[in-house]
Amino acid sequence: MRTPEDVKQEVELLYELTRDAVPGDWDYADHTWTYCATSDGRDGAHFNIFSQRREQPLPNSPESVANMVESIWADQGHPVKAEYSADFPQPRWILSDPAWLAGSGPEGLLVQFTVGDDYADFSATSRCVAGDLAELSFVE
């Protein structure tokens, strides 16, 4: 049985490792708990993160950065393959677990990283875990 702290730490660790691989001024203002229902129908919560760094040079090409983060995520048990997409105003490389546009994974988990010229973002929705949303939100 996973705890709220377990699911939060899972996505926060991926965020921290990604942020450390792509240094710069990341805006981490958007992180919160939101309501979900567990697979057995109980009230629960997801921990959500959205963070981005804009208008800052990348340490390498967007493709190289995506490949580096791909390796980091694989080491954490998230074997993903970077995909290139020109569907954004500025083309980007995308890492997504599960695959890009495939929905969420087990218990609602969805982790994504996109990187393009002078831009990167990280978003995650943790696994849904039983808990009281109001109590978990208060802790943040």
Side-chain angles (χ1 to χ4, degrees), residues 63 66-67 69-71 73-74 78-85 93-100 111 113:
E63 181 178 13
N67 291 333
V69 173
E70 180 182 287
S71 176
W73 284 20
H78 297 271
V80 298
K81 190 71 179 151
E83 300 177 45
Y84 183 77
S85 176
W93 287 89
I94 303 163
L95 278 71
S96 184
D97 185 13
W100 181 244
V111 184
F113 171 70

Side-chain angles (χ1 to χ4, degrees), residues 123-138:
S123 63
T125 299
S126 75
R127 300 171 197 274
C128 183
V129 63
D132 182 279
L133 177 60
E135 288 178 17
L136 292 169
S137 295
F138 182 71

